C-alpha cells in the first residue's frame, strides 16, 4: 500500500463511510433511485478516489450490463460499481457513470478543523 | 607538360577522354600532380586509370586525396619521416613542389620570393591571390618595422601593398603604425623576444593562408581528424538509445547503443528500511543516495569505490512516514518531509538533525529547497505555501486560491520559477522576479512532477496513467506522452535520466520500472524484480548507467548494465557500417 494519492472535493461531498475519503459531489448526483443487493444506491456522473476492479457482464434489474466494481482507494472497501456499457438502448444513458451504495457512503458537510474553513466564503471563487 | 611514356600528345588524349561517354573524372588536373613526381621511371604509372582510382567500397574516395590527407595527418602528428616516406612510396606528394617551395619560403620569411612563387602556383581566383599577397607583404612590413627598418617598411607599403588596392582600412592602420611604431601591437605578446615573435606570427600567416588558398592546393591542417570527428558525431546523433559518454566512443566500430546501454539488471538490493520505501534520489554529485520510508526514517547511502552502496546514516526522528527527502544544492544537507507533521533539515556528513520546521496546527504535504540553499518552501495541509529561511523564520506565507493541498512544489535551480500544483489539474509556474504566473492546464488530475536539469522541461504524472512532458521555456507546450505503466491508487514518481536526459523512467503499481525514450515516447524497457509497487525512481546524474528504484516491498534496487551479456546486439548489424556489410563480414 504505497503513498496513496487522494483528491479533495470542495464543499459538501459524499464520502466513504469507513475512511471518510471524498468520493463524489452532490452536483454530480443524477438519480437516487437505484438499488443494489444491500439497499439503495445513487447514480453519479463522476466519482473520485476510487479504483476499478475487472470488467464483467452482470445481469441487473434493468438488463445485462458490463460493469466493474469500484473500491475506495484508501481503505479498499467496495463502495459500488461503474457502468462500462449497457446492452439495451434504453439503458445507454448509464454508460461511464458511477453508482455508490447508500450504505457505504456518508453525506455530511466537511467538518474538518482546518482554519481556512471559516474564511472560505470570503475567498471562494467559483 | 606531357608525361614521359605517352606517345600521343597529352592534349589530344585529353580531348579523347572528354568525348568518351563513360569517361571518368577530368584528366587535366592530373597532369599537374604527376608532373612533380620524383621518379617517373620507378613506377609504371600515370596511366590515366591511377588518377581516377578510388578507395573504399562506395567509390567516392579519391585515392590521391586520401593519401594526401593521411600524409598531412602524419606531418601534424610529428611523424615527418613517415610522412616523407609515404609521399615517396605512394608517389603522391602531399603538395605540389611549387606549393612546398612557397610554404618553405613563408616559414623562412622570404617574403618577396614567396609572393613570386604564389603567382607561380597558378590559382584561378584573383581575389585569393591578392589577399594572400597582401598577407605576405603585411607580414614583411611588420617584420621590417620590428627591426626598425622604417624606410624599407615604407617602401613596401607604398610600392607593394598599396598597388594591390584591397583592404584599405588595414593599409591606413599600417601607415599610422609607421608614425608610432611602439604603440602598434602586432601579432603575439609584446616583449617576448623578437625572434620568437616573428616565428609565431609566421605560423599565424600560414594558418591564414590555409583559409585563403583552396584546400586542394594547400591541404588544411587536421583535415583527417575533422572528417573522423564528423563521422563520430553523425554516428552519435543517429544513435537512438544513445547512452554513452563521449569519451567512450571508439573508432574501431560504428557506434550504436543498443538497449544494452540502458540499465536493466539489478546489481544491488538495499534492504535497511522496515516498511514501504516511498522516495529515492541521488545527490547532485552522484556519490550518495537518499531514501525515505513509511517506517518514519530516511537513509543516506554512500557509494564505495567498487560501486557498492552501503548505509551511511539513518535519519531517525520523524513520527510519521517520511514522504520525501531532498538534497540541498551543495549536497551537504537534506530536507525530509514527515507526512503532515514537520520538515527536518539534516547534515549529510554527521547525520544530525540541524533544524525542525513546523507551524502550529498544520503540517507539510510537500517541500523543497530554495535554489541557493538558503531557504525552505513547503505546501501545507491548509493549502497554503510557506517559506522559511534556514533558521526557521517564516519569510512568506501564501494563502492563495488553491483548491487542493499543494502536493508538489519546487524551485528551479536558477531561482527563477516556483513550480507547484495549484489546482487538481493545473500547475502554476510562478516567475519570482516578474511576479507573473503561467499555468499548465492538464487533462486530468496531477499526482507529481519533476523538472529537467536545464529547467526547460517539466515531466507531469497524471492520475490517468499517463506521463506528460511539457516544454516550459516560454508558453508551456505539451511535447510528448508516455504510457504503459500502471497507476490506480498511489502516488508514483518519474524522472529524467541518461545521456543528456534522453530517457524517462517511472515506477509503476505492477512492481516494474518503466523506461521510455524521451524524444520518441517509445517504451524501451520494463524491469521486473520488485515484489511491490515501485513508488519512485531516480537516475544517477553522474553515472549514465545507474538507476535506483524504491518499492512497497521495503527495498531499494540499484539497476545497472547487463554484465553477463554486455554486447547483446539489438539487430544483426555488422561492426563496420550500420546497414551495409563491409569488411568481409
Amino acid at each position: 500500500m504505497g503513498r496513496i494519492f487522494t483528491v479533495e472535493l470542495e464543499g459538501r461531498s459524499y464520502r466513504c463511510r469507513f475512511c471518510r475519503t471524498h468520493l463524489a459531489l452532490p452536483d454530480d448526483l443524477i438519480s437516487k433511485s437505484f438499488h443494489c443487493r444491500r439497499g439503495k444506491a445513487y447514480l453519479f456522473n463522476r466519482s473520485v478516489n476510487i479504483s476499478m476492479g475487472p470488467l464483467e457482464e452482470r445481469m441487473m434489474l434493468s438488463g445485462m450490463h458490463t460493469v466493474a466494481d469500484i473500491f475506495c482507494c484508501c481503505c479498499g472497501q467496495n463502495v459500488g460499481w461503474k457502468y462500462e456499457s449497457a446492452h439495451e438502448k434504453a439503458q445507454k444513458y448509464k454508460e461511464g457513470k458511477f453508482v455508490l451504495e447508500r450504505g457505504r457512503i456518508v453525506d455530511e458537510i466537511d467538518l474538518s478543523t482546518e482554519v481556512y474553513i471559516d474564511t472560505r466564503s470570503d475567498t471562494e471563487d467559483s | 607538360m606531357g608525361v614521359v611514356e605517352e606517345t600521343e600528345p597529352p592534349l589530344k588524349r585529353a580531348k579523347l577522354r572528354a568525348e568518351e561517354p563513360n569517361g571518368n573524372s577530368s584528366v587535366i588536373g592530373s597532369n599537374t600532380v604527376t608532373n612533380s613526381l620524383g621518379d617517373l621511371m620507378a613506377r609504371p604509372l600515370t596511366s590515366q586509370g591511377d588518377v581516377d582510382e578510388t578507395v573504399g567500397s562506395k567509390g567516392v574516395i579519391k585515392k590521391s586525396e586520401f593519401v594526401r590527407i593521411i600524409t598531412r595527418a602524419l606531418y601534424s602528428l610529428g611523424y615527418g619521416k613517415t610522412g616523407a616516406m609515404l609521399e615517396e612510396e605512394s608517389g603522391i606528394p602531399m603538395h605540389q613542389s611549387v606549393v612546398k617551395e612557397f610554404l618553405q619560403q613563408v616559414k623562412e620569411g622570404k617574403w618577396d620570393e614567396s609572393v613570386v612563387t604564389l603567382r607561380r602556383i597558378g590559382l584561378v581566383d584573383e581575389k585569393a591571390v591578392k589577399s594572400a599577397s597582401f598577407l605576405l607583404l603585411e607580414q614583411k612590413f611588420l617584420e621590417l618595422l620590428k627591426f626598425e627598418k622604417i624606410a624599407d617598411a615604407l617602401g613596401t607599403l607604398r610600392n607593394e601593398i598599396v598597388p594591390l588596392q584591397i583592404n584599405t582600412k588595414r593599409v591606413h592602420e599600417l601607415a599610422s603604425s609607421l608614425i608610432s611604431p611602439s604603440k602598434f601591437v602586432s601579432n603575439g605578446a609584446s616583449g617576448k623576444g623578437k625572434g620568437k615573435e616573428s616565428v609565431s606570427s609566421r605560423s599565424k600567416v600560414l594558418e591564414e593562408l590555409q583559409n585563403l588558398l583552396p584546400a586542394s592546393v594547400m591541404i588544411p591542417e587536421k583535415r583527417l581528424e575533422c572528417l573522423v570527428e564528423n563521422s563520430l558525431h553523425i554516428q552519435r546523433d543517429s544513435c537512438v538509445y544513445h547512452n554513452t559518454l563521449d569519451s567512450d566512443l571508439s573508432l574501431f566500430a560504428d557506434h550504436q547503443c543498443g538497449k544494452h546501454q540502458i540499465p536493466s539488471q539489478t546489481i544491488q538490493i538495499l534492504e535497511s528500511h522496515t516498511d514501504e520505501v516511498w522516495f529515492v534520489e541521488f545527490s547532485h554529485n552522484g556519490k550518495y543516495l537518499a531514501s525515505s520510508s513509511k517506517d518514519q526514517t530516511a537513509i543516506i547511502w554512500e557509494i564505495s569505490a567498487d560501486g557498492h552502496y552501503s548505509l551511511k546514516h539513518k535519519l531517525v526522528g520523524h513520527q510519521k512516514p517520511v514522504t520525501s527527502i531532498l538534497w540541498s544544492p551543495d549536497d551537504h544537507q537534506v530536507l525530509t518531509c514527515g507526512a503532515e507533521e514537520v520538515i527536518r533539515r539534516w547534515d549529510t556528513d554527521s547525520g544530525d538533525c540541524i533544524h525542525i520546521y513546523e507551524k502550529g496546527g498544520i503540517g507539510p504535504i510537500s517541500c523543497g529547497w530554495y535554489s541557493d540553499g538558503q531557504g525552505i518552501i513547503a505546501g501545507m495541509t491548509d493549502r497554503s505555501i510557506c517559506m522559511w529561511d534556514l533558521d526557521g523564520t517564516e519569510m512568506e506565507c501564501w494563502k492563495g486560491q488553491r483548491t487542493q493541498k499543494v502536493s508538489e512544489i519546487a524551485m528551479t535551480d536558477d531561482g527563477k520559477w516556483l513550480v507547484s500544483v495549484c489546482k487538481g489539474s493545473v500547475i502554476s509556474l510562478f516567475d519570482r522576479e516578474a511576479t507573473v504566473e503561467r499555468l499548465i492546464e492538464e487533462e486530468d488530475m496531477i499526482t507529481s512532477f519533476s523538472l529537467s536539469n536545464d529547467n526547460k522541461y517539466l515531466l507531469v504524472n497524471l492520475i490517468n496513467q499517463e506521463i506528460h512532458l511539457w516544454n516550459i521555456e516560454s508558453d508551456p507546450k505539451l511535447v510528448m506522452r508516455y504510457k504503459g505503466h500502471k497507476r490506480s491508487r498511489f502516488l508514483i514518481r518519474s524522472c529524467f535520466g541518461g545521456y543528456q536526459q534522453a530517457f524517462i523512467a517511472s515506477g509503476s503499481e505492477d512492481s516494474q520500472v518503466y523506461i521510455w525514450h524521451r524524444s520518441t515516447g517509445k517504451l524501451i524497457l520494463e524491469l521486473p524484480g520488485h515484489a511491490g509497487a515501485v513508488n519512485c525512481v531516480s537516475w544517477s546524474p553522474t553515472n549514465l548507467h545507474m538507476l535506483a528504484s524504491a518499492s512497497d516491498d521495503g527495498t531499494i534496487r540499484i539497476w545497472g548494465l547487463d554484465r553477463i551479456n554486455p554486447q547483446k546486439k539489438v539487430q544483426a548489424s555488422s561492426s563496420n557500417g550500420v546497414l551495409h556489410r563491409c569488411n568481409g563480414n
Side-chain angles (χ1 to χ4, degrees), chain B residues 33 43 169 303 306 311 333 342 461 512 545 557:
Chain B
V33 174
R43 299 198 57 207
K169 183 166 173 250
I303 193 169
D306 59 359
L311 192 147
Q333 295 174 1
V342 298
N461 280 52
Q512 298 189 116
H545 307 133
R557 283 190 176 224

Side-chain angles (χ1 to χ4, degrees), chain A residues 1-3 5 8 10 73, chain B residues 276 383 404-405 491 552:
Chain A
M1 219 193 72
R3 192 178 156 197
F5 180 79
E8 279 184 5
E10 295 228 35
C73 75
Chain B
E276 302 168 5
R383 304 179 183 178
Q404 299 284 323
K405 299 173 190 168
L491 198 147
D552 277 356

